[in-house]
């Protein structure tokens, strides 16, 4: 049986609003394709290498936990950057997305250094951006999720999508998340993968391509997933009328 390995970074600190559901979705959709997905939880990075990692995942967390996680992950930031540049697929949520940038400025003006993997920054305010969100993505189509963040992120990279309902990166430019090579960063909790099978399959497909494992995109029946997503979109359409 073909196998893939996902590295789940800092699950002891970063797991808001059931972010762990993203791992469950990856596992399940891999299993339906006869691929065994191994999960390696990485809470301490000393001596860790990414040699056996096919996909990585980082969830969201409070400012405090995010700062602790950044400190731990800074030990392998060079490796992470190299892997991202090399096309390793990764999904990072909210706090996990924010600290890939150069800095995170807290509401009281304190500057927390980010991993500096990509050149962008986040500035937080006391007033939080919260609620269900719908975005339109060139790569994935309609995507739904839930957001709750004080951080406003600004960058010129490609995005995850354009905000239809909700806030996204900030309340100004209708841009949501980041899409750089095969790295996805997003404010969407939900968890996002069970609600959006297209993104789950994207991560699995990219990992399979890198490893030379065949991937059948059309192999699964997504009728129920599509209906669930449609129900969320319709509910939000009514709310925003
Ligand atoms: N620091 C983040 C914020 O903007 C954390 C939120 C999250 O990961 N949900 O509030």
């Amino acid at each position: 049986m073909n196998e893939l390995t996902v590295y789940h970074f800092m699950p002891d600190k970063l797991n808001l609003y059931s972010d762990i559901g993203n791992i469950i979705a990856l596992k399940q959709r891999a299993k339906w394709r006869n691929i065994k997905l191994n999960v390696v939880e990485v809470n301490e990075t000393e001596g860790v290498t990414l040699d056996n990692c096919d996909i990585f995942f980082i969830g969201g967390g409070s400012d405090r936990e995010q700062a602790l996680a950044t400190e731990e992950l800074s030990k392998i930031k060079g490796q992470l950057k190299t892997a991202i540049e090399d096309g390793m697929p990764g999904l990072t949520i909210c706090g996990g997305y924010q600290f890939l940038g150069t800095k995170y400025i807290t509401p009281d003006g304190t500057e927390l250094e980010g991993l500096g993997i990509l050149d962008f920054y986040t500035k937080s305010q006391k007033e939080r951006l919260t609620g269900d969100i719908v975005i339109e993505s060139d790569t994935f189509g309609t995507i739904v999720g839930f957001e709750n963040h004080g951080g406003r992120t600004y960058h010129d990279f490609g995005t995850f999508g354009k905000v239809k309902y909700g806030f996204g990166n900030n309340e100004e430019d209708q841009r949501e998340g980041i899409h750089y090579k095969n790295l996805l960063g997003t404010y969407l909790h939900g968890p996002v993968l069970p609600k959006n099978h297209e993104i789950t399959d994207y991560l699995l497909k990219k990992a399979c391509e890198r490893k030379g494992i065949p991937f059948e995109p059309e192999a699964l029946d997504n009728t129920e997933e599509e209906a669930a997503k449609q129900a969320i979109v319709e509910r939000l359409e009514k709310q925003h009328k």
Side-chain angles (χ1 to χ4, degrees):
M1 191 189 240
N2 285 318
E3 294 191 20
L4 291 174
T5 299
V6 56
Y7 275 31
H8 184 181
F9 287 112
M10 317 305 294
D12 64 340
K13 294 189 179 60
L14 304 176
N15 180 26
L16 280 181
Y17 318 112
S18 305
D19 281 340
I20 187 72
N22 294 310
I23 297 288
I24 297 170
L26 282 168
K27 234 182 178 167
Q28 189 59 47
R29 290 186 76 85
K31 187 174 165 196
W32 283 335
R33 292 191 166 87
N34 270 330
I35 300 168
K36 181 169 180 280
L37 190 88
N38 307 307
V39 181
V40 176
E41 295 195 347
V42 181
N43 290 308
E44 286 171 15
T45 56
E46 199 65 57
V48 167
T49 73
L50 300 182
D51 297 348
N52 297 321
C53 175
D54 300 307
I55 305 174
F56 70 92
F57 172 70
I58 312 176
S62 68
D63 286 4
R64 185 184 158 273
E65 283 159 332
Q66 184 176 331
L68 293 170
T70 311
E71 208 180 308
E72 191 59 40
L73 287 169
S74 67
K75 296 176 199 160
I76 55 161
K77 66 181 176 189
Q79 281 193 66
L80 263 175
K81 188 171 171 58
T82 305
I84 290 166
E85 293 296 343
D86 189 54
M88 180 181 288
L91 175 68
T92 62
I93 312 288
C94 201
Y97 156 39
Q98 293 168 345
F99 65 53
L100 297 181
T102 53
K103 62 182 172 184
Y104 179 85
I105 307 163
T106 65
D108 69 8
T110 309
E111 273 196 24
L112 305 175
E113 203 181 320
L115 296 177
I117 288 175
L118 293 173
D119 189 10
F120 70 87
Y121 73 98
T122 300
K123 192 170 177 348
S124 187
Q125 291 176 27
K126 275 214 173 98
E127 195 191 332
R128 301 187 70 77
L129 306 177
T130 304
D132 289 318
I133 171 166
V134 177
I135 65 172
E136 291 298 336
S137 159
D138 288 344
T139 315
F140 307 111
T142 303
I143 298 299
V144 299
F146 166 77
E147 60 182 327
N148 182 359
H149 50 107
R152 276 74 169 164
T153 299
Y154 302 91
H155 67 74
D156 296 323
F157 293 98
T159 61
F160 198 44
K162 192 172 175 341
V163 177
K164 191 168 178 200
Y165 304 121
F167 301 101
N169 283 341
N170 50 65
E171 61 268 79
E172 293 146 46
D173 60 21
Q174 256 97 51
R175 287 157 56 86
E176 208 300 306
I178 198 165
H179 188 167
Y180 175 78
K181 299 204 172 183
N182 295 325
L183 167 73
L184 303 172
T186 177
Y187 275 108
L188 272 62
H189 294 277
V192 68
L193 294 188
K195 286 187 174 177
N196 303 282
H197 62 88
E198 303 87 341
I199 310 170
T200 321
D201 284 357
Y202 172 89
L203 294 166
L204 292 172
K205 180 170 180 263
K206 294 293 174 189
C208 284
E209 281 172 5
R210 275 184 101 227
K211 217 177 172 182
I213 296 175
F215 181 87
E216 303 288 338
E218 307 306 334
L220 305 180
D221 175 5
N222 299 312
T223 315
E224 286 185 14
E225 287 85 347
E226 296 292 344
K229 185 187 294 203
Q230 192 51 32
I232 295 172
V233 172
E234 282 170 18
R235 179 159 50 84
L236 283 178
E237 259 162 13
K238 270 191 205 140
Q239 277 172 21
H240 286 265
K241 251 187 195 159

